[in-house]
Amino acid sequence: MNNRKTNIQRASSEFFDIVVIGGGITGAGIALMAAKKGWKTLIVDKHDFAFGTSSRSAKMIHGGLRYLQNLQIKLVKEALHEREHLLKEYPHLVKPQPFFMPIYKSKLNKLKLGIGLSGYDYLTGESSMPKHEAIKVDKIKERFPQIKSDNIVGGYIYYDAKTNDARLTNDIIQEAVDLGAVSINYFEVENIICKDNIVNEIICTDNISKIKYNIQAKVYIAATGIWTDDTMKLLHNNSSEQFMMPSKGIHLIVDASHFPKDCVMLLPTANNDGRMIWCMPWDDNLSVVGTTDTEYNGSNEEMTVLKEEVNYILDSVNAQLKDKKLTHGDILSVYAGIRPLLNEKTNNNKSTKRSRDYKIWWNNDNMLTISGGKLTSFLSMAEKVIEEIEQKHSLETSMNNSIKINSIIDKFKHRYGIKNASLIADIAQENIQFIDTFDNYNYCTAEILFFIRHQHAQKIDDILTRRTLISYQMKNYDTLLIQNISDILAKELNWSNEDKQMDIENYKKSWMLMHSWL
Ligand SMILES: Cc1cc2nc3c(=O)[nH]c(=O)nc-3n(C[C@H](O)[C@H](O)[C@H](O)COP(=O)(O)OP(=O)(O)OC[C@H]3O[C@@H](n4cnc5c(N)ncnc54)[C@H](O)[C@@H]3O)c2cc1C
């Protein structure tokens, strides 16, 4: 249970290894990795978690086919690797998604695009998703009847993934909390107190009660995205240096019935600026249509959507739709997001061309800032931050133990999910031999204890037939194993020798029934 009052009390009275400022996806990933290391971690956000850009993205977990054009090979490769990892680790939130890219006469060069997609497949390496394929005009007409096909000379289907960005961020924070991190939203860092090139403490205001608190840690990490310049002002006494050069992107939400429900459609923009608009099925009955990419220097707190931005998207989509055009009346809602793009002198000034890469830098001896990047790359960004910290600070207190806990969680999470794998790891702390697997069966004592303590197992049969598959695998009655399981149950449930004998007899009957055909 996540109790806000207790969390605030802990935050203001305990000394942390790491404080992460900013609970968007970047901060969430760092909090998770730090908690996995066994570091005592606090993550705070001045708004709700994921209030910022991390709930306002295009919801794609992708390598970024478009960035290949700008030859950002490293960025694309890293993101594709992340995509594969997230598909595997968070299948309830990151799902495979086919994309349809039409090729128009005289617009996109088919050969160039084919080469780009082959490069994309190559950079992906081993994948659970199919490679790209060409699709012919007659198939396009059949599969995408809503779009005009007179100018289309062919197309491609390729695969990326989609997510619910806000839920992903909150799930990652929950995972960090399950591993011991403390998390508080509506908790704003308002002052950063430094002495002799180190941060001594930060002053936070609880934006709900308006009470101020002093927070202390060994290392502070700013992951405040588009607020990075504001955070730097807190640190450097209102410095006017501009670290960020953000750009704005808006999306429209419409009913899913307007577009294909199984495939994203990419359509060229009406004003020939070389960009594409995507219409993506989202959450069963919605479609997300976007986006724009324009310079932004407005408020980070209230991001409004302008009529001309909406019209840019509607005009682009309607130029390609056959009959049923999209109108203002079809729009269920709109949202605007601000990309945390870095202000790098070497970067192209046009926001569409500016790098989606990220940067990590030390502000002083114990405060580090990360900014830029993509939703897709949050775990590898977090890994880099952890590496940086390890090079400069030794936060070893609970690390050896935590590495052990981590590898146990990794071992069991596929069978039981993260939460239960953590419970099994806790049990293994009592005696590390509890994770040694039994002869001939891929189960261990820690799992048996987990079934007894957390999943109601009361008898050998409960464990071997309904909590594990051991009864199904046991061709010959395994006296030794049965005795072992009975000993564990007896100790946990205070059985007498008679209780043990009776339960073994009962299990034997159950096992015989499973072999009664012999
Ligand atoms: C239109 C658009 C489309 C995009 N599409 C994609 C996409 O499809 N795929 C993809 O991979 N990426 C995409 N991105 C990029 C991606 O969304 C961002 O890179 C990512 O969400 C940034 O996360 P963040 O945690 O760095 O920033 P944020 O999510 O903005 O988090 C920063 C947090 O810091 C908090 N904060 C600020 N100041 C303080 C303070 N003083 N005290 C406490 N907390 C503070 C804020 O409240 C905020 O929650 C898109 C971005 C945009 C704008």
Side-chain angles (χ1 to χ4, degrees):
M1 257 267 288
N2 209 354
N3 182 318
R4 193 167 188 278
K5 209 167 145 195
T6 316
N7 289 347
I8 293 177
Q9 213 253 326
R10 285 193 60 190
S12 55
S13 60
E14 297 179 16
F15 188 76
F16 289 84
D17 289 322
I18 300 280
V19 171
V20 183
I21 309 167
I25 194 69
T26 308
I30 296 166
L32 174 61
M33 290 292 177
K36 278 191 174 184
K37 281 269 166 202
W39 295 346
K40 195 165 168 182
T41 304
L42 169 69
I43 177 166
V44 297
D45 198 294
K46 67 171 170 172
H47 296 291
D48 187 16
F49 293 124
F51 167 87
T53 314
S54 300
S55 57
R56 300 154 193 271
S57 78
K59 329 284 182 203
M60 288 190 275
I61 298 294
H62 62 159
L65 186 57
R66 192 161 69 79
Y67 311 134
L68 273 187
Q69 271 181 332
N70 304 346
L71 292 177
Q72 293 181 275
I73 312 273
K74 188 178 144 270
L75 177 82
V76 175
K77 192 172 175 190
E78 184 178 271
L80 284 169
H81 177 80
E82 288 298 298
R83 184 191 75 184
E84 289 309 300
H85 179 73
L86 295 173
L87 278 163
K88 208 167 122 212
E89 294 297 314
Y90 301 95
H92 60 298
L93 279 172
V94 180
K95 299 182 196 276
Q97 176 64 61
F99 284 66
F100 164 58
M101 170 96 81
I103 298 161
Y104 293 87
K105 264 182 219 157
S106 77
K107 275 205 176 147
L108 270 174
N109 179 328
K110 189 172 178 186
L111 184 68
K112 202 168 138 198
L113 188 59
I115 293 171
L117 284 166
S118 299
Y120 205 60
D121 286 339
Y122 175 76
L123 291 174
T124 302
E126 283 274 302
S127 173
S128 52
M129 293 195 290
K131 296 203 182 312
H132 81 278
E133 55 185 324
I135 173 166
K136 294 211 167 97
V137 177
D138 50 344
K139 277 269 170 253
I140 294 173
K141 286 183 185 164
E142 210 175 278
R143 197 161 164 194
F144 305 100
Q146 16 333 51
I147 56 169
K148 293 178 194 161
S149 50
D150 6 327
N151 254 343
I152 292 180
V153 293
Y156 285 107
I157 302 279
Y158 73 95
Y159 290 80
D160 256 320
K162 69 176 168 192
T163 190
N164 179 325
D165 46 6
R167 277 202 49 220
L168 182 65
T169 306
N170 277 288
D171 265 36
I172 297 296
I173 291 175
Q174 189 195 338
E175 205 179 325
V177 169
D178 287 344
L179 293 172
V182 177
S183 56
I184 316 171
N185 55 0
Y186 299 105
F187 206 69
E188 177 165 1
V189 176
E190 283 195 332
N191 212 343
I192 300 173
I193 314 286
C194 297
K195 201 178 164 210
D196 301 334
N197 209 33
I198 62 160
V199 175
N200 257 0
E201 60 180 355
I202 55 175
I203 316 289
C204 295
T205 298
D206 175 359
N207 280 338
I208 290 178
S209 71
K210 307 293 174 210
I211 298 174
K212 285 190 193 305
Y213 296 91
N214 298 32
I215 311 288
Q216 290 193 315
K218 282 185 197 152
V219 178
Y220 301 81
I221 299 157
T224 48
I226 50 171
W227 287 268
T228 299
D229 286 348
D230 297 341
T231 313
M232 294 303 102
K233 281 189 183 114
L234 296 180
L235 188 65
H236 299 298
N237 275 336
N238 287 327
S239 98
S240 57
E241 194 171 346
Q242 200 187 339
F243 295 87
M244 307 305 295
M245 203 188 254
S247 89
K248 182 181 181 188
I250 72 136
H251 288 88
L252 318 180
I253 304 284
V254 298
D255 191 88
S257 56
H258 293 281
F259 297 107
K261 288 195 178 161
D262 59 344
C263 192
V264 177
M265 274 191 338
L266 290 161
L267 303 172
T269 50
N271 68 355
N272 279 328
D273 59 8
R275 301 185 61 254
M276 302 291 276
I277 299 290
W278 50 86
C279 315
M280 182 167 87
W282 196 51
D283 201 40
D284 293 345
N285 49 14
L286 301 174
S287 281
V288 187
V289 187
T291 181
T292 54
D293 193 339
T294 50
E295 300 301 331
Y296 186 74
N297 47 28
S299 159
N300 286 340
E301 306 295 324
E302 281 178 16
M303 293 147 252
T304 46
V305 171
L306 307 174
K307 200 166 182 179
E308 62 254 32
E309 293 169 325
V310 171
N311 289 343
Y312 167 85
I313 294 180
L314 287 185
D315 292 348
S316 300
V317 173
N318 285 336
Q320 306 305 332
L321 288 184
K322 226 191 269 170
D323 316 308
K324 207 173 156 253
K325 307 281 183 191
L326 214 54
T327 66
H328 281 251
D330 293 319
I331 301 171
L332 300 175
S333 60
V334 294
Y335 65 88
I338 313 299
R339 297 177 185 85
L341 304 183
L342 297 163
N343 178 20
E344 286 186 322
K345 313 277 177 295
T346 49
N347 260 337
N348 194 310
N349 267 341
K350 228 172 157 231
S351 63
T352 47
K353 297 271 184 213
R354 281 210 294 280
S355 167
R356 266 56 179 167
D357 217 340
Y358 59 91
K359 195 171 155 188
I360 299 172
W361 68 98
W362 284 99
N363 305 105
N364 54 33
D365 281 351
N366 69 342
M367 179 158 174
L368 177 147
T369 294
I370 176 163
S371 208
K374 285 160 49 118
L375 181 80
T376 308
S377 308
F378 74 97
L379 283 177
S380 62
M381 289 162 67
E383 265 166 22
K384 296 269 161 53
V385 167
I386 298 295
E387 274 169 34
E388 275 290 334
I389 295 170
E390 281 179 325
Q391 278 168 23
K392 205 169 162 105
H393 290 268
S394 76
L395 304 176
E396 282 165 338
T397 34
S398 47
M399 228 165 77
N400 287 341
N401 194 26
S402 73
I403 286 170
K404 238 183 270 155
I405 294 178
N406 245 341
S407 62
I408 298 172
I409 293 173
D410 274 351
K411 180 170 169 188
F412 290 106
K413 72 180 176 194
H414 295 291
R415 194 177 268 173
Y416 300 106
I418 296 262
K419 217 168 180 169
N420 289 337
S422 308
L423 293 172
I424 293 172
D426 283 348
I427 293 170
Q429 300 308 297
E430 296 166 23
N431 181 343
I432 200 63
Q433 285 169 347
F434 283 173
I435 56 165
D436 294 346
T437 43
F438 301 132
D439 285 347
N440 304 322
Y441 302 96
N442 191 19
Y443 293 93
C444 65
T445 304
E447 287 169 275
I448 308 307
L449 289 170
F450 161 74
F451 296 132
I452 300 169
R453 293 179 192 173
H454 299 282
Q455 296 211 328
H456 314 99
Q458 296 288 311
K459 298 167 187 231
I460 299 172
D461 199 28
D462 301 345
I463 290 170
L464 299 194
T465 311
R466 285 171 295 278
R467 306 296 188 282
T468 69
L469 299 180
I470 293 178
S471 291
Y472 298 93
Q473 296 166 295
M474 196 191 291
K475 191 165 179 199
N476 300 311
Y477 189 78
D478 190 334
T479 315
L480 243 154
L481 177 87
I482 309 293
Q483 191 57 54
N484 190 358
I485 303 292
S486 173
D487 290 344
I488 299 172
L489 275 158
K491 198 162 169 214
E492 284 291 303
L493 304 177
N494 278 328
W495 283 356
S496 65
N497 276 341
E498 260 172 24
D499 295 334
K500 277 174 85 175
Q501 234 20 69
M502 199 162 42
D503 190 52
I504 289 175
E505 284 311 313
N506 283 338
Y507 177 70
K508 197 163 194 172
K509 276 186 214 148
S510 169
W511 181 85
M512 303 263 278
L513 276 174
M514 292 178 87
H515 294 77
S516 52
W517 55 278
L518 279 171

